């Protein structure tokens, strides 16, 4: 399995606080059958985490890889960002400050929880017009997705992809989000499940339990597509598999 959304890089955002936290997260991931993690620090959040692409961000990725190698922890780390689609994000994209997942065509994006639906759709269209395919992080958590039943289909019709959080399925964000995540999954509109892990204690980097759950509750093939097949297609910059 490959985790395409994880805040494992130390001391950059509200994820791993330091290198030893990151190592513990990596060990947990490996014990859950995860072979690779795309490190996706929060990026472009106004007044908060910026984490624009820079050589120092690359150094942070390299430092984690070296620590894992030193400890013989068999986990591949790739670079990425979780890009907050604040006003003005296009300018940041044009300036080369935003990166895709492992230099693929796929960009992990998030909205303000109270984003307006029409604004969200317009931002997704703007990214697509730049030749990137947006992967919407945790759609099940946004207000507009919960309030408008057509929102999931609108985003998919535009060409966006959807990534459900492991925690949402397990009820970590409340009943409404749990229900919405299962609705998206059981209608086969989700393209990925990822951990969105922030620490080794809560919101942890594990996928085996949700993989098993989806395999049993919906379909074995779909479970594999969500945590293994499609994440690997992102790593290889290939067209993802639609169920
Ligand atoms: Fe995240």
């Amino acid at each position: 399995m490959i985790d395409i959304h994880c805040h494992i890089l130390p001391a950059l955002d509200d994820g791993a606080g330091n290198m030893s936290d990151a190592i513990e997260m990596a060990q947990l991931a490996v014990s859950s059958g995860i072979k690779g993690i795309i490190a996706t620090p929060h990026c472009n959040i106004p007044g908060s985490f910026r984490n624009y692409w820079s050589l120092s961000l690359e150094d942070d990725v390299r430092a984690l890889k070296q620590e894992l190698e030193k400890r013989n922890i068999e986990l591949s780390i790739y670079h990425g960002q979780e890009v907050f689609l604040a006003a003005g994000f296009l300018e940041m994209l044009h300036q080369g400050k935003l990166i895709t997942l492992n230099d693929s065509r796929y960009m992990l994006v998030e909205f303000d929880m109270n984003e307006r639906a029409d604004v969200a759709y317009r931002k997704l269209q703007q990214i697509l017009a730049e030749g990137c395919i947006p992967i919407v992080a945790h759609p099940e958590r946004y207000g507009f997705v919960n309030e408008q039943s057509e929102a999931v289909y609108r985003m998919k019709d535009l060409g966006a992809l959807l990534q459900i959080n492991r925690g949402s399925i397990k009820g970590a964000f409340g009943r409404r989000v749990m229900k919405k995540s299962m609705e998206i999954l059981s209608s086969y509109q989700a393209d990925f499940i990822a951990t969105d892990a922030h620490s080794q204690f809560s919101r942890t980097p594990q996928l085996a339990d949700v993989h098993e759950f989806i395999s049993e509750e919906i379909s074995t093939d779909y479970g594999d597509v969500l945590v293994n097949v499609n994440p690997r297609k992102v790593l290889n910059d290939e067209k993802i598999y639609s169920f």
Side-chain angles (χ1 to χ4, degrees):
M1 294 181 285
I2 304 288
D3 187 13
I4 67 160
H5 181 174
C6 187
H7 301 264
I8 192 170
L9 289 183
L12 287 184
D13 59 8
D14 53 349
N18 53 44
M19 187 58 83
S20 93
D21 290 341
I23 297 296
E24 283 186 47
M25 286 174 75
Q27 284 165 331
L28 212 50
V30 169
S31 68
S32 173
I34 292 174
K35 305 285 185 203
I37 285 179
I38 308 183
T40 52
H42 285 294
C43 164
N44 197 42
I45 302 185
S48 179
F49 308 115
R50 313 298 272 182
N51 292 320
Y52 296 122
W53 184 85
S54 67
L55 289 176
S56 111
L57 202 60
E58 290 306 294
D59 285 343
D60 292 331
V61 174
R62 200 173 308 120
L64 176 58
K65 282 182 177 179
Q66 282 169 355
E67 288 295 326
L68 295 177
E69 233 167 79
K70 226 164 47 183
R71 290 170 169 76
N72 293 318
I73 299 172
E74 289 190 18
L75 179 70
S76 302
I77 303 290
Y78 308 90
H79 69 189
Q81 288 167 329
E82 180 179 18
V83 177
F84 189 94
L85 297 181
F89 78 90
L90 264 189
E91 202 186 319
M92 295 299 152
L93 182 59
H94 294 154
Q95 289 176 15
K97 291 179 175 174
L98 309 181
I99 58 170
T100 56
L101 300 179
N102 196 37
D103 302 322
S104 67
R105 73 195 80 173
Y106 302 102
M107 178 178 281
L108 184 69
V109 302
E110 68 170 332
F111 300 111
D112 186 283
M113 287 296 157
N114 300 310
E115 185 70 282
R116 269 175 37 197
D118 58 333
V119 177
Y121 302 146
R122 191 171 66 235
K123 288 174 175 174
L124 294 175
Q125 281 171 315
Q126 287 172 323
I127 294 172
L128 286 154
E130 296 291 326
C132 292
I133 298 178
I135 298 176
V136 177
H138 40 68
E140 70 278 7
R141 296 184 61 199
Y142 302 117
F144 75 93
V145 174
N146 279 281
E147 282 147 22
Q148 303 182 18
S149 56
E150 75 278 12
V152 161
Y153 296 95
R154 281 291 298 275
M155 291 191 286
K156 293 299 300 271
D157 285 348
L158 290 173
L161 303 174
L162 305 180
Q163 176 257 303
I164 303 293
N165 271 10
R166 166 188 182 241
S168 301
I169 302 166
K170 293 171 72 77
F173 302 101
R175 285 186 63 84
R176 189 171 83 146
V177 171
M178 182 166 77
K179 199 166 154 244
K180 183 51 84 172
S181 67
M182 286 312 294
E183 193 186 301
I184 299 171
L185 286 161
S186 40
S187 56
Y188 296 100
Q189 295 303 306
D191 303 287
F192 308 91
I193 297 174
T195 71
D196 194 6
H198 281 66
S199 88
Q200 67 273 44
F201 304 116
S202 64
R203 298 177 78 177
T204 51
Q206 292 161 293
L207 283 172
D209 51 1
V210 284
H211 175 243
E212 192 184 325
F213 178 74
I214 299 301
S215 299
E216 282 174 7
E217 294 295 316
I218 304 179
S219 117
T220 310
D221 288 346
Y222 192 41
D224 287 339
V225 163
L226 293 165
V227 300
N228 199 13
V229 176
N230 277 346
R232 287 182 193 276
K233 290 194 179 291
V234 167
L235 286 182
N236 297 323
D237 192 22
E238 293 167 355
K239 193 173 180 307
I240 67 115
Y241 186 84
S242 288
F243 220 77

